[in-house]
């Protein structure tokens, strides 16, 4: 059936059948929240690109510049779930984002809201790959939206820009900088040198920054991302609501030390 989709007036959205992703579900604790008899997944994109000027003075990945997306996306999804429950009281609706059993890139491609880039990320025509993915799983049978195009330009630029060859025939998580900057414990000198060279103490945007499909993209329409973004930090600023705080203070401090002191064992 066709239903009124909440948030559809300003966010890219689509719907895929739950059975099309059921075999690829990610094993995680959140899996137990999937409604019994799930039939459809409403997939949303939450664009976060703030415009190039917002990133000039920063050494963190673009996705971590505004407040933590788990909080902001979570609030939007909760609101959408509230509306859906009111209109369809006999059905179940469960929101997920990132910490989700749904392989989100796949679900977004199947829903027709973008293509899968060779960098592994979902790329939307209007907002590029700088979009988070969030979804609502329901036992309501909703007519799926379809994809007309599923592949990127295949130009190879992301593969070339990837510092340690994480993008190959498949994806090597251990070689991905984004993973490296989140890893707990002391980093070996090779990893520390990579962080220094890359100039980013949290996450990595190399494979997105070079992507031609990210040229001339639009700035996010989400006011919470725009308003919470900081273009510089002052000593003593709280990092509590930032996307890099979930790993604990030690990890981000270690990366900062590596960057500032050219030695991951030095003091700041
Ligand atoms: C684990 C994880 C990571 C791991 C491993 C990523 C990986 N590619 O395997 C690490 C920590 C490295 C990571 C990094 C990043 N992540 Co991440 N991550 C996830 C998470 C939680 C699960 C992904 C997963 O394991 N899927 C399971 C498999 C079965 O799904 P799949 O669709 O078949 O394929 C995925 C991968 O296997 C991979 N892949 C499959 N085949 C191939 C082949 C090649 C050649 C490549 C390059 C990749 C690749 O790409 C898909 C997306 O990860 C998802 C959220 C979710 N629930 O999906 C977010 C998610 C994919 N991440 C996200 C983001 C933003 C990032 C970063 C850009 C953050 C940053 N700036 O540093 C980087 C990008 C790295 C990259 N190029 O993929 C977003 C992506 C949004 C988008 N537009 O696509 C997601 C969807 C979270 C969200 N809700 O918004 N991530
Ligand atoms: S995020 Fe960085 S390290 Fe990871 S795949 Fe992209 S370019 Fe490579
Ligand atoms: S850089 Fe080229 S190959 Fe890589 S995701 Fe973008 S369009 Fe695809």
């Amino acid at each position: 059936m066709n239903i009124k989709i909440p948030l559809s007036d300003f966010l890219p959205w689509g719907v895929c059948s739950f059975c099309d992703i059921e075999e690829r579900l990610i094993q995680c604790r959140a899996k137990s929240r999937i409604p019994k008899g799930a039939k459809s997944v409403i997939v949303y994109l939450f664009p976060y690109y703030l415009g190039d000027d917002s990133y000039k003075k920063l050494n963190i990945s673009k996705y971590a510049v505004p407040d933590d997306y788990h909080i902001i996306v979570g609030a939007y999804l909760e609101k959408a779930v509230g509306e859906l429950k009111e209109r369809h009281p006999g059905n179940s609706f469960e929101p997920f984002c990132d910490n989700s059993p749904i392989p989100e890139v796949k679900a977004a491609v199947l829903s027709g809201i973008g293509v899968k880039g060779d960098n592994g990320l979902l790329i939307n025509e209007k907002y590029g790959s700088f979009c988070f993915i969030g979804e609502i799983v329901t036992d309501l049978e909703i007519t799926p939206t379809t994809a007309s195009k599923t592949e990127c330009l295949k130009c190879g630029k992301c593969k070339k820009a990837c510092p340690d060859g994480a993008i190959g025939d498949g994806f090597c998580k251990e070689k991905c900088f984004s993973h490296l900057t989140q890893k707990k414990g002391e980093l070996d000198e090779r990893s520390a040198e990579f962080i220094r060279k890359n100039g980013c103490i949290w996450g990595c945007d190399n494979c997105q920054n070079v992507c031609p499909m990210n040229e001339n993209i639009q700035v996010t329409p989400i006011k919470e991302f725009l308003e919470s973004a900081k273009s510089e930090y002052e000593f003593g600023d709280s990092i509590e609501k930032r996307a890099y705080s979930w790993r604990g203070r030690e990890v981000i401090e270690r990366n900062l030390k590596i960057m500032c002191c050219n030695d991951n064992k030095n003091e700041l």
Side-chain angles (χ1 to χ4, degrees):
M1 69 190 283
N2 287 313
I3 64 159
K4 188 172 184 295
I5 303 288
L7 309 175
S8 59
D9 52 338
F10 86 116
L11 293 180
W13 66 274
V15 176
C16 69
S17 293
F18 181 75
C19 66
D20 286 342
I21 45 150
E22 200 169 6
E23 278 179 16
R24 304 277 299 273
L25 289 182
I26 301 170
Q27 297 305 324
C28 62
R29 228 189 288 166
K31 197 174 168 194
S32 62
R33 287 202 287 115
I34 293 176
K36 226 174 158 195
K39 292 205 175 59
S40 313
V41 185
I42 306 171
V43 189
Y44 291 102
L45 294 187
F46 295 84
Y48 61 88
Y49 176 65
L50 303 165
D52 281 345
D53 286 350
S54 306
Y55 309 115
K56 280 186 180 149
K57 292 184 186 162
L58 295 174
N59 56 4
I60 48 174
S61 170
K62 290 183 172 67
Y63 87 97
V65 175
D67 273 355
D68 190 345
Y69 69 99
H70 299 92
I71 303 171
I72 293 172
V73 170
Y76 274 100
L77 291 175
E78 283 298 343
K79 189 172 171 269
V81 163
E83 280 181 38
L84 287 163
K85 280 185 175 166
E86 227 174 273
R87 275 186 242 129
H88 308 275
N91 292 98
S92 305
F93 300 91
E94 274 296 329
F96 297 95
C97 174
D98 192 40
N99 175 21
S100 168
I102 306 296
E104 294 180 320
V105 173
K106 189 173 176 60
V109 173
L110 285 172
S111 309
I113 41 179
V115 298
K116 180 167 175 173
D118 272 5
N119 56 8
L121 299 170
L122 187 280
I123 312 174
N124 174 261
E125 215 180 340
K126 191 169 169 186
Y127 296 108
S129 60
F130 298 114
C131 297
F132 301 116
I133 305 173
E135 59 280 345
I136 296 172
V137 183
T138 174
D139 55 0
L140 188 65
E141 190 144 11
I142 310 172
T143 312
T145 47
T146 45
S148 53
K149 212 175 142 216
T150 55
E151 288 196 333
C152 72
L153 303 173
K154 305 265 173 200
C155 67
K157 288 189 177 174
C158 52
K159 195 172 169 178
K160 253 193 187 159
C162 182
D164 199 21
I167 305 174
D169 290 336
F171 182 76
C172 178
K173 182 176 164 182
E174 292 302 319
K175 289 185 172 180
C176 179
F177 255 62
S178 185
H179 170 69
L180 191 76
T181 59
Q182 295 176 17
K183 236 168 117 172
K184 287 194 175 176
E186 202 171 299
L187 294 182
D188 59 30
E189 187 41 39
R190 185 171 183 269
S191 304
E193 190 52 32
F194 268 130
I195 290 187
R196 266 176 231 127
K197 270 196 192 146
N198 214 31
C200 202
I201 57 161
W202 189 260
C204 171
D205 288 332
N206 291 13
C207 57
Q208 298 188 83
N209 287 341
V210 296
C211 177
M213 295 183 79
N214 277 335
E215 279 168 20
N216 304 317
I217 52 167
Q218 292 199 17
V219 165
T220 177
I222 300 173
K223 68 173 189 333
E224 290 82 353
F225 286 149
L226 290 162
E227 287 167 4
S228 64
K230 273 176 178 278
S231 56
E232 45 192 312
Y233 281 80
E234 275 171 35
F235 190 73
D237 278 351
S238 164
I239 63 161
E240 203 184 314
K241 282 190 183 166
R242 302 279 143 173
Y244 40 82
S245 69
W246 69 276
R247 288 300 267 173
R249 200 188 150 94
E250 294 77 20
V251 175
I252 194 79
E253 268 186 7
R254 175 203 64 203
N255 296 349
L256 254 177
K257 282 177 192 168
I258 288 173
M259 193 74 95
C260 296
C261 310
N262 258 7
D263 178 354
N264 59 344
K265 285 171 199 145
N266 279 356
E267 291 303 311
L268 267 177

